Amino acid sequence: MTHVSMTVNGKARKADVEPRLLLVHFLREHLLLTGTHVGCDTSQCGACTVLIDGRSAKSCTIFAVQADGSQITTIEGLAKDGRLHPLQEGFWEEHGLQCGYCTPGMIMSAVNLLTDTPQPTEQQIREGISGNFCRCTGYHHIVNAIQHAAGRRS
Amino acid sequence: MGALPILPKLVGERVKRREDPRLIQGRGTYVDDIKIAGMQHMAFKRSDVAHGRIRSIDTSAAQTMEGVEAVFTGAQIAEMLAPMPIGTPFPSPPHRAVATDVVRYAGEPVAVVVAADRYIARDAADAIVVHIDPLPAVMDPERAMTGQPTVIHPEFPNNLAVALVPSGTGVSAEGSVDDSAIEAAFAAAEVVISQRMINQRLVPNAMEPRGVVAHFEPGKASMTIWSSTQNPHILRTMIAAMVGLGQDQVRAIAPEVGGGFGAKINIYAEEYVTAAVSKRLGLAVKWVEDRSEAFVATTHGRDLIGYVDVAARRDGKVLGLKLRLIADIGAYNMLLTAAIPTLTMMMASATYDIPAIRTTLTEVFTNKTPTDAYRGAGRPEATYFIERAMDMLARELNLDPAEVRRRNFIAPDKFPYATQMGAVYDSGDYGKALDLALKASNWNALVAERDAARKEGRLVGLGLAMYVEVCGIGPSSSLPTGGWEHSQVTVERDGRISATTGASPHGQGNETTFAQMLADQFSVPIEHITIQHGDTGIVKQGIGTFGSRSQAVGGTALHLAGVKVKTKMTKFAAALLEADEHDIVFQNGTIGVKGSPAAAKSFSDVAAYAYVPVPLPEGLEPGLSEEAFFEPANNTYPFGCHISMLEIDRDTGEPKLLKLVAVDDAGNLINPLIVEGQIHGGLAQGIGQAMIEEAIYSDEGQLLTGSFMDYALPRATDFPRFELHSSVTPTPVNPFGAKGVGEAGTLGSTPCIVNAAVDALAQFGVTHIDLMLRSEKLWRIIQGGQA
């Protein structure tokens, strides 16, 4: 067992974990933050995307011990003081989700995209979320949702 | 009463989804999010060969690992579970949930481990040593039909699961076959188009892999089973029968379900095994599929070869159609496997008035993952074959592809229209959809743009495709589960409304659309309505969500239950207001008497009175809760026209989709925003099939496209913005006139893109390109070879 400590959604978290424990399983099984999903086992689908020190990362691809000392934000930590994040608003307004399984990871990737590129073109949006699969929406309304959050749609 | 805000009519409006607040905040509960005290985790040891005889299984190392609760081989599971049932009337070989002697596809389960956590369970599964003596792998369906290289199921000679079923003109219900009409059609033909076409194997890939939690409680002799399924009521029926419980003793729950696309209709080995093991151990047991596992363990889709022959006159009028189908169904029959290609036969004539049709169907076992429903399930295949053939005919005759189609459409005054294939199309106006698509896409301008691009040496093509599909599946004669849906609507004591539906959504948004319907029906705010689904402990009866039936069948059941409650509530209101019940009006959250608005009671006052009815009106029971079953008299037949523009890179062969215009006619719409989402998703899967998706096996039976590293699931960068338009031709089959839209997008998109690719490359002499449009294939055509 290895000791890890990290800040998750603003709260200090400590635990003794197996060195092989994936960060996504630490979040889901130890901290019961089940909003972060697992959709594949080859780092392709992005359902497990969280922010590590403000940057999007696939939490199925790193061990919990590698995140020692980090600041983690998951989908559960995105709304502040009962107010949805603009991307959450955008996904709701523009019907950016159907089954909702890819949605948390998709939103976290989009947070990173808008941090780097606050006013993205449609092509930049499509490239920015190309590490995240959605099987329901054909991405059309997801693009609209991100444009909405970026203030590009009324 | 004070002035109330006027409630807007909601049916037909773009209402934001009521499901979303929990899902966008990570607060939805999917199967893998469920934890129960003492819960164990299950993992499967799976065959790594496609075909072979199990010589030995050594579980000793697994059994002694710390944290392992139990290990079961196939033989031990066979003591708990009979062979798995199927849902079609076709003959089927015995199929054990865990293989006992012979394995017939790579990925078939051979042993099961139960352990304290998922990591230990996987370690223990890896520690099981299995020796399998390989047998020849049967991979090519057309070779398999001759019994080569071997026979997979001894009781099915030549690997024929279903041997040559004829259908169409001259084939009677009793099976007698009269060839005279179809032969006459071909004898009279001035031109015949013949083409073998492949509709390739696909992997459905819902983003949530499957998962099950089974919790048998010995003291209560009851089981609760959570599963990522499209149909919890069918699951309950099947699980109860297989583990030896009554249906009253099993509660099946579909919590949030992360997509299905048809692949979560089947009731799987893993569901039966999880339930049986939970019952045996008296513990809660969870199994969650890995993606790599999902690629081989969850049913695949399509995989149909069609030999298409079209007989026509030189003016483009089609006289006859022959369609010989060979379905590669993989190693076993699953719940609906055998029935899927019969839908291709049923829809063979598509939007066309073809006087003579003969289809035949052969289904073949191979050493691959079994197939079953995948979005569209049989209808995209039918659409693909006929729409490619119509394009080939147009090209052969040097006629406009739209004009050839128009000359063959079923005329709008012929509905209801009985096809040669035994379907009765409810309503349709195919010319209207075609005209709208040509106008909306500005077809003539696209032709000019294409021709200008060609002058610059670019390879640009245009394609169009019509479609009609069968949706809203019922009546009970067409579904072994029963072809109805159920709903219960309750006006609660406080005037709020709760309603249940047997339609079990996994992204379709029924909590919103069904609430829109009830809000209008009772004239109450949508915020006062809760729609419950997916739990057989709450939803008494149901069939489930597939075949684009939620609205057409489930929505109608909800409406009818609502009518019953409203009728009763009207009687209570009439008693309370001392008025004639015919004069009672529901308006804006009140119930009053026509012409005297001041006397109106609030909706909640009438509800409260119905539960404490002093005095009780004569002939009424207390309470406001009614249920309804709805069985439609017929299916619905939505239709449309899709148009695409494609450019192929001359140097690399890489195709790029420049434009996709879709006209869809799904009848009346409850929520256009949700309908658009459904069409987008269908288009994405249809485009994926046309351009990048394909399940590919090695000659030895290994799935080479067994992960997202190898199977091309479309990304956001693979699509242009879709351009949607709709025409509205209501169905007379249900009171809302809604037809269904979940699968529509997959039908027209695939053939219209291949038609565009052939158009782009016709200058190289190509008349057909088999799915999918791999750039290497296109590059070879450009280099002077053939597809």
Side-chain angles (χ1 to χ4, degrees), chain B residues 751-787:
Chain B
C752 89
I753 289 170
V754 177
N755 288 345
V758 173
D759 184 49
L761 299 183
Q763 58 181 283
F764 301 101
V766 69
T767 55
H768 176 69
I769 306 170
D770 265 326
L771 291 167
M772 42 78 158
L773 300 176
R774 190 183 296 111
S775 54
E776 179 208 345
K777 199 187 287 182
L778 305 183
W779 181 84
R780 287 186 189 284
I781 294 168
I782 296 166
Q783 300 306 309
Q786 276 291 312

mmCIF file of all heavy atoms in Angstrom, chain B residues 751-787:
data_model
loop_
_atom_site.group_PDB
_atom_site.id
_atom_site.type_symbol
_atom_site.label_atom_id
_atom_site.label_comp_id
_atom_site.label_asym_id
_atom_site.label_seq_id
_atom_site.Cartn_x
_atom_site.Cartn_y
_atom_site.Cartn_z
ATOM 1 N N PRO B 751 -26.463 4.462 -47.787
ATOM 2 C CA PRO B 751 -26.450 4.358 -49.257
ATOM 3 C C PRO B 751 -26.223 5.691 -49.960
ATOM 4 O O PRO B 751 -25.587 5.715 -51.014
ATOM 5 C CB PRO B 751 -27.835 3.790 -49.593
ATOM 6 C CG PRO B 751 -28.679 4.017 -48.387
ATOM 7 C CD PRO B 751 -27.744 4.010 -47.219
ATOM 8 N N CYS B 752 -26.688 6.794 -49.389
ATOM 9 C CA CYS B 752 -26.507 8.054 -50.136
ATOM 10 C C CYS B 752 -25.028 8.419 -50.205
ATOM 11 O O CYS B 752 -24.583 9.026 -51.185
ATOM 12 C CB CYS B 752 -27.376 9.187 -49.588
ATOM 13 S SG CYS B 752 -26.692 10.191 -48.281
ATOM 14 N N ILE B 753 -24.256 8.001 -49.201
ATOM 15 C CA ILE B 753 -22.819 8.289 -49.227
ATOM 16 C C ILE B 753 -22.095 7.363 -50.215
ATOM 17 O O ILE B 753 -21.228 7.807 -50.974
ATOM 18 C CB ILE B 753 -22.236 8.185 -47.803
ATOM 19 C CG1 ILE B 753 -22.738 9.376 -46.978
ATOM 20 C CG2 ILE B 753 -20.715 8.150 -47.845
ATOM 21 C CD1 ILE B 753 -22.427 9.269 -45.508
ATOM 22 N N VAL B 754 -22.469 6.093 -50.225
ATOM 23 C CA VAL B 754 -21.829 5.192 -51.198
ATOM 24 C C VAL B 754 -22.219 5.607 -52.618
ATOM 25 O O VAL B 754 -21.388 5.579 -53.535
ATOM 26 C CB VAL B 754 -22.177 3.724 -50.911
ATOM 27 C CG1 VAL B 754 -21.572 2.813 -51.983
ATOM 28 C CG2 VAL B 754 -21.668 3.324 -49.529
ATOM 29 N N ASN B 755 -23.467 6.022 -52.799
ATOM 30 C CA ASN B 755 -23.886 6.519 -54.117
ATOM 31 C C ASN B 755 -23.041 7.722 -54.532
ATOM 32 O O ASN B 755 -22.656 7.852 -55.696
ATOM 33 C CB ASN B 755 -25.370 6.897 -54.098
ATOM 34 C CG ASN B 755 -26.271 5.675 -54.050
ATOM 35 O OD1 ASN B 755 -25.830 4.553 -54.300
ATOM 36 N ND2 ASN B 755 -27.532 5.877 -53.698
ATOM 37 N N ALA B 756 -22.718 8.581 -53.567
ATOM 38 C CA ALA B 756 -21.877 9.744 -53.874
ATOM 39 C C ALA B 756 -20.455 9.310 -54.223
ATOM 40 O O ALA B 756 -19.826 9.880 -55.121
ATOM 41 C CB ALA B 756 -21.871 10.708 -52.687
ATOM 42 N N ALA B 757 -19.956 8.292 -53.528
ATOM 43 C CA ALA B 757 -18.598 7.817 -53.810
ATOM 44 C C ALA B 757 -18.514 7.209 -55.207
ATOM 45 O O ALA B 757 -17.549 7.445 -55.948
ATOM 46 C CB ALA B 757 -18.176 6.791 -52.749
ATOM 47 N N VAL B 758 -19.542 6.435 -55.584
ATOM 48 C CA VAL B 758 -19.549 5.853 -56.936
ATOM 49 C C VAL B 758 -19.651 6.975 -57.971
ATOM 50 O O VAL B 758 -18.983 6.943 -59.016
ATOM 51 C CB VAL B 758 -20.703 4.840 -57.083
ATOM 52 C CG1 VAL B 758 -20.823 4.371 -58.531
ATOM 53 C CG2 VAL B 758 -20.481 3.638 -56.156
ATOM 54 N N ASP B 759 -20.459 7.988 -57.665
ATOM 55 C CA ASP B 759 -20.580 9.130 -58.564
ATOM 56 C C ASP B 759 -19.221 9.814 -58.748
ATOM 57 O O ASP B 759 -18.838 10.183 -59.859
ATOM 58 C CB ASP B 759 -21.621 10.110 -58.001
ATOM 59 C CG ASP B 759 -21.879 11.284 -58.934
ATOM 60 O OD1 ASP B 759 -22.099 11.040 -60.139
ATOM 61 O OD2 ASP B 759 -21.857 12.438 -58.472
ATOM 62 N N ALA B 760 -18.489 9.933 -57.644
ATOM 63 C CA ALA B 760 -17.188 10.611 -57.710
ATOM 64 C C ALA B 760 -16.182 9.809 -58.531
ATOM 65 O O ALA B 760 -15.308 10.387 -59.181
ATOM 66 C CB ALA B 760 -16.653 10.847 -56.298
ATOM 67 N N LEU B 761 -16.305 8.485 -58.479
ATOM 68 C CA LEU B 761 -15.287 7.643 -59.126
ATOM 69 C C LEU B 761 -15.784 6.971 -60.401
ATOM 70 O O LEU B 761 -15.077 6.126 -60.968
ATOM 71 C CB LEU B 761 -14.791 6.582 -58.134
ATOM 72 C CG LEU B 761 -14.132 7.124 -56.849
ATOM 73 C CD1 LEU B 761 -13.610 5.983 -55.992
ATOM 74 C CD2 LEU B 761 -12.991 8.093 -57.178
ATOM 75 N N ALA B 762 -16.985 7.333 -60.859
ATOM 76 C CA ALA B 762 -17.547 6.681 -62.051
ATOM 77 C C ALA B 762 -16.626 6.836 -63.261
ATOM 78 O O ALA B 762 -16.568 5.951 -64.116
ATOM 79 C CB ALA B 762 -18.927 7.273 -62.350
ATOM 80 N N GLN B 763 -15.890 7.936 -63.300
ATOM 81 C CA GLN B 763 -14.977 8.163 -64.430
ATOM 82 C C GLN B 763 -13.902 7.076 -64.539
ATOM 83 O O GLN B 763 -13.271 6.928 -65.572
ATOM 84 C CB GLN B 763 -14.311 9.537 -64.296
ATOM 85 C CG GLN B 763 -13.536 9.704 -63.008
ATOM 86 C CD GLN B 763 -12.910 11.094 -62.907
ATOM 87 O OE1 GLN B 763 -11.903 11.375 -63.534
ATOM 88 N NE2 GLN B 763 -13.524 11.962 -62.133
ATOM 89 N N PHE B 764 -13.705 6.321 -63.443
ATOM 90 C CA PHE B 764 -12.726 5.229 -63.491
ATOM 91 C C PHE B 764 -13.390 3.896 -63.822
ATOM 92 O O PHE B 764 -12.784 2.838 -63.685
ATOM 93 C CB PHE B 764 -11.973 5.126 -62.153
ATOM 94 C CG PHE B 764 -11.244 6.397 -61.808
ATOM 95 C CD1 PHE B 764 -11.762 7.290 -60.886
ATOM 96 C CD2 PHE B 764 -10.038 6.708 -62.440
ATOM 97 C CE1 PHE B 764 -11.102 8.475 -60.587
ATOM 98 C CE2 PHE B 764 -9.370 7.897 -62.142
ATOM 99 C CZ PHE B 764 -9.908 8.781 -61.214
ATOM 100 N N GLY B 765 -14.676 3.960 -64.213
ATOM 101 C CA GLY B 765 -15.367 2.753 -64.670
ATOM 102 C C GLY B 765 -16.005 1.935 -63.572
ATOM 103 O O GLY B 765 -16.488 0.836 -63.823
ATOM 104 N N VAL B 766 -16.028 2.464 -62.362
ATOM 105 C CA VAL B 766 -16.574 1.695 -61.249
ATOM 106 C C VAL B 766 -18.087 1.908 -61.182
ATOM 107 O O VAL B 766 -18.581 3.011 -61.431
ATOM 108 C CB VAL B 766 -15.880 2.074 -59.923
ATOM 109 C CG1 VAL B 766 -16.257 3.479 -59.489
ATOM 110 C CG2 VAL B 766 -16.193 1.074 -58.845
ATOM 111 N N THR B 767 -18.836 0.825 -60.912
ATOM 112 C CA THR B 767 -20.291 0.950 -60.787
ATOM 113 C C THR B 767 -20.776 0.620 -59.383
ATOM 114 O O THR B 767 -21.912 0.912 -59.021
ATOM 115 C CB THR B 767 -21.011 0.015 -61.774
ATOM 116 O OG1 THR B 767 -20.538 -1.317 -61.560
ATOM 117 C CG2 THR B 767 -20.730 0.432 -63.202
ATOM 118 N N HIS B 768 -19.919 -0.018 -58.585
ATOM 119 C CA HIS B 768 -20.304 -0.343 -57.206
ATOM 120 C C HIS B 768 -19.044 -0.417 -56.353
ATOM 121 O O HIS B 768 -18.016 -0.906 -56.793
ATOM 122 C CB HIS B 768 -21.058 -1.672 -57.144
ATOM 123 C CG HIS B 768 -21.394 -2.091 -55.735
ATOM 124 N ND1 HIS B 768 -22.313 -1.408 -54.968
ATOM 125 C CD2 HIS B 768 -20.909 -3.092 -54.942
ATOM 126 C CE1 HIS B 768 -22.384 -1.980 -53.762
ATOM 127 N NE2 HIS B 768 -21.553 -3.001 -53.730
ATOM 128 N N ILE B 769 -19.151 0.080 -55.119
ATOM 129 C CA ILE B 769 -18.057 -0.045 -54.147
ATOM 130 C C ILE B 769 -18.652 -0.652 -52.892
ATOM 131 O O ILE B 769 -19.631 -0.134 -52.346
ATOM 132 C CB ILE B 769 -17.428 1.334 -53.815
ATOM 133 C CG1 ILE B 769 -16.982 2.044 -55.091
ATOM 134 C CG2 ILE B 769 -16.262 1.158 -52.849
ATOM 135 C CD1 ILE B 769 -16.589 3.506 -54.862
ATOM 136 N N ASP B 770 -18.087 -1.749 -52.426
ATOM 137 C CA ASP B 770 -18.624 -2.363 -51.211
ATOM 138 C C ASP B 770 -18.249 -1.548 -49.989
ATOM 139 O O ASP B 770 -17.192 -0.917 -49.926
ATOM 140 C CB ASP B 770 -18.094 -3.794 -51.067
ATOM 141 C CG ASP B 770 -19.077 -4.811 -51.642
ATOM 142 O OD1 ASP B 770 -20.299 -4.569 -51.545
ATOM 143 O OD2 ASP B 770 -18.620 -5.834 -52.175
ATOM 144 N N LEU B 771 -19.133 -1.618 -48.978
ATOM 145 C CA LEU B 771 -18.870 -0.966 -47.698
ATOM 146 C C LEU B 771 -17.611 -1.565 -47.074
ATOM 147 O O LEU B 771 -17.332 -2.733 -47.284
ATOM 148 C CB LEU B 771 -20.061 -1.185 -46.763
ATOM 149 C CG LEU B 771 -21.353 -0.447 -47.178
ATOM 150 C CD1 LEU B 771 -22.538 -0.976 -46.398
ATOM 151 C CD2 LEU B 771 -21.194 1.047 -46.971
ATOM 152 N N MET B 772 -16.865 -0.785 -46.210
ATOM 153 C CA MET B 772 -16.999 0.644 -46.102
ATOM 154 C C MET B 772 -15.976 1.297 -47.014
ATOM 155 O O MET B 772 -15.171 0.627 -47.630
ATOM 156 C CB MET B 772 -16.839 1.109 -44.642
ATOM 157 C CG MET B 772 -15.743 0.447 -43.857
ATOM 158 S SD MET B 772 -14.062 1.086 -44.219
ATOM 159 C CE MET B 772 -13.186 0.624 -42.760
ATOM 160 N N LEU B 773 -16.005 2.641 -47.094
ATOM 161 C CA LEU B 773 -15.203 3.378 -48.079
ATOM 162 C C LEU B 773 -13.774 3.601 -47.567
ATOM 163 O O LEU B 773 -13.338 4.733 -47.377
ATOM 164 C CB LEU B 773 -15.867 4.720 -48.403
ATOM 165 C CG LEU B 773 -17.282 4.634 -48.983
ATOM 166 C CD1 LEU B 773 -17.851 6.039 -49.161
ATOM 167 C CD2 LEU B 773 -17.286 3.885 -50.310
ATOM 168 N N ARG B 774 -13.062 2.498 -47.384
ATOM 169 C CA ARG B 774 -11.667 2.601 -46.911
ATOM 170 C C ARG B 774 -10.837 3.313 -47.980
ATOM 171 O O ARG B 774 -10.968 3.048 -49.175
ATOM 172 C CB ARG B 774 -11.119 1.196 -46.636
ATOM 173 C CG ARG B 774 -9.772 1.177 -45.919
ATOM 174 C CD ARG B 774 -9.240 -0.231 -45.736
ATOM 175 N NE ARG B 774 -10.099 -1.017 -44.883
ATOM 176 C CZ ARG B 774 -10.837 -2.051 -45.309
ATOM 177 N NH1 ARG B 774 -10.813 -2.409 -46.568
ATOM 178 N NH2 ARG B 774 -11.592 -2.708 -44.474
ATOM 179 N N SER B 775 -9.975 4.207 -47.544
ATOM 180 C CA SER B 775 -9.241 5.032 -48.508
ATOM 181 C C SER B 775 -8.369 4.174 -49.420
ATOM 182 O O SER B 775 -8.213 4.478 -50.601
ATOM 183 C CB SER B 775 -8.402 6.080 -47.780
ATOM 184 O OG SER B 775 -7.573 5.485 -46.822
ATOM 185 N N GLU B 776 -7.840 3.070 -48.898
ATOM 186 C CA GLU B 776 -7.009 2.199 -49.746
ATOM 187 C C GLU B 776 -7.820 1.666 -50.933
ATOM 188 O O GLU B 776 -7.353 1.622 -52.072
ATOM 189 C CB GLU B 776 -6.473 1.031 -48.907
ATOM 190 C CG GLU B 776 -5.624 0.068 -49.711
ATOM 191 C CD GLU B 776 -5.638 -1.351 -49.164
ATOM 192 O OE1 GLU B 776 -6.077 -1.549 -48.017
ATOM 193 O OE2 GLU B 776 -5.226 -2.258 -49.910
ATOM 194 N N LYS B 777 -9.063 1.263 -50.618
ATOM 195 C CA LYS B 777 -9.956 0.720 -51.646
ATOM 196 C C LYS B 777 -10.212 1.772 -52.734
ATOM 197 O O LYS B 777 -10.148 1.495 -53.931
ATOM 198 C CB LYS B 777 -11.273 0.330 -50.947
ATOM 199 C CG LYS B 777 -12.157 -0.623 -51.691
ATOM 200 C CD LYS B 777 -13.496 -0.791 -50.963
ATOM 201 C CE LYS B 777 -13.395 -1.613 -49.687
ATOM 202 N NZ LYS B 777 -14.725 -1.801 -49.041
ATOM 203 N N LEU B 778 -10.476 2.997 -52.283
ATOM 204 C CA LEU B 778 -10.771 4.071 -53.231
ATOM 205 C C LEU B 778 -9.517 4.434 -54.032
ATOM 206 O O LEU B 778 -9.578 4.692 -55.238
ATOM 207 C CB LEU B 778 -11.321 5.293 -52.484
ATOM 208 C CG LEU B 778 -12.552 5.025 -51.607
ATOM 209 C CD1 LEU B 778 -13.049 6.330 -50.989
ATOM 210 C CD2 LEU B 778 -13.670 4.342 -52.378
ATOM 211 N N TRP B 779 -8.375 4.424 -53.355
ATOM 212 C CA TRP B 779 -7.109 4.733 -54.023
ATOM 213 C C TRP B 779 -6.828 3.728 -55.144
ATOM 214 O O TRP B 779 -6.403 4.092 -56.239
ATOM 215 C CB TRP B 779 -5.983 4.700 -52.974
ATOM 216 C CG TRP B 779 -4.625 5.028 -53.518
ATOM 217 C CD1 TRP B 779 -4.080 6.261 -53.715
ATOM 218 C CD2 TRP B 779 -3.626 4.081 -53.937
ATOM 219 N NE1 TRP B 779 -2.813 6.144 -54.226
ATOM 220 C CE2 TRP B 779 -2.507 4.823 -54.370
ATOM 221 C CE3 TRP B 779 -3.568 2.686 -53.981
ATOM 222 C CZ2 TRP B 779 -1.345 4.209 -54.841
ATOM 223 C CZ3 TRP B 779 -2.411 2.072 -54.453
ATOM 224 C CH2 TRP B 779 -1.320 2.828 -54.880
ATOM 225 N N ARG B 780 -7.120 2.446 -54.878
ATOM 226 C CA ARG B 780 -6.890 1.420 -55.910
ATOM 227 C C ARG B 780 -7.780 1.647 -57.126
ATOM 228 O O ARG B 780 -7.350 1.424 -58.266
ATOM 229 C CB ARG B 780 -7.126 0.019 -55.337
ATOM 230 C CG ARG B 780 -6.016 -0.426 -54.407
ATOM 231 C CD ARG B 780 -6.156 -1.871 -53.954
ATOM 232 N NE ARG B 780 -5.191 -2.158 -52.908
ATOM 233 C CZ ARG B 780 -3.885 -2.353 -53.124
ATOM 234 N NH1 ARG B 780 -3.411 -2.330 -54.357
ATOM 235 N NH2 ARG B 780 -3.062 -2.567 -52.111
ATOM 236 N N ILE B 781 -9.023 2.081 -56.882
ATOM 237 C CA ILE B 781 -9.918 2.376 -58.013
ATOM 238 C C ILE B 781 -9.342 3.526 -58.837
ATOM 239 O O ILE B 781 -9.286 3.477 -60.069
ATOM 240 C CB ILE B 781 -11.331 2.735 -57.501
ATOM 241 C CG1 ILE B 781 -11.978 1.513 -56.844
ATOM 242 C CG2 ILE B 781 -12.199 3.251 -58.657
ATOM 243 C CD1 ILE B 781 -13.241 1.834 -56.065
ATOM 244 N N ILE B 782 -8.860 4.551 -58.134
ATOM 245 C CA ILE B 782 -8.283 5.712 -58.827
ATOM 246 C C ILE B 782 -7.042 5.293 -59.626
ATOM 247 O O ILE B 782 -6.779 5.802 -60.706
ATOM 248 C CB ILE B 782 -7.927 6.822 -57.795
ATOM 249 C CG1 ILE B 782 -9.202 7.326 -57.125
ATOM 250 C CG2 ILE B 782 -7.169 7.961 -58.464
ATOM 251 C CD1 ILE B 782 -8.965 8.153 -55.877
ATOM 252 N N GLN B 783 -6.321 4.304 -59.098
ATOM 253 C CA GLN B 783 -5.119 3.825 -59.799
ATOM 254 C C GLN B 783 -5.461 2.894 -60.961
ATOM 255 O O GLN B 783 -4.571 2.345 -61.589
ATOM 256 C CB GLN B 783 -4.197 3.082 -58.820
ATOM 257 C CG GLN B 783 -3.698 3.922 -57.652
ATOM 258 C CD GLN B 783 -3.030 5.205 -58.105
ATOM 259 O OE1 GLN B 783 -2.152 5.192 -58.954
ATOM 260 N NE2 GLN B 783 -3.465 6.331 -57.552
ATOM 261 N N GLY B 784 -6.747 2.686 -61.204
ATOM 262 C CA GLY B 784 -7.136 1.892 -62.366
ATOM 263 C C GLY B 784 -7.583 0.492 -62.043
ATOM 264 O O GLY B 784 -7.957 -0.268 -62.931
ATOM 265 N N GLY B 785 -7.578 0.146 -60.761
ATOM 266 C CA GLY B 785 -8.052 -1.171 -60.388
ATOM 267 C C GLY B 785 -9.550 -1.149 -60.158
ATOM 268 O O GLY B 785 -10.232 -0.183 -60.475
ATOM 269 N N GLN B 786 -10.059 -2.211 -59.619
ATOM 270 C CA GLN B 786 -11.480 -2.280 -59.300
ATOM 271 C C GLN B 786 -11.646 -2.309 -57.780
ATOM 272 O O GLN B 786 -10.694 -2.524 -57.047
ATOM 273 C CB GLN B 786 -12.107 -3.532 -59.934
ATOM 274 C CG GLN B 786 -12.500 -3.313 -61.392
ATOM 275 C CD GLN B 786 -13.670 -2.339 -61.552
ATOM 276 O OE1 GLN B 786 -14.670 -2.449 -60.883
ATOM 277 N NE2 GLN B 786 -13.505 -1.351 -62.438
ATOM 278 N N ALA B 787 -12.871 -2.108 -57.342
ATOM 279 C CA ALA B 787 -13.144 -2.099 -55.902
ATOM 280 C C ALA B 787 -12.925 -3.485 -55.325
ATOM 281 O O ALA B 787 -13.158 -4.471 -55.979
ATOM 282 C CB ALA B 787 -14.579 -1.667 -55.656
#
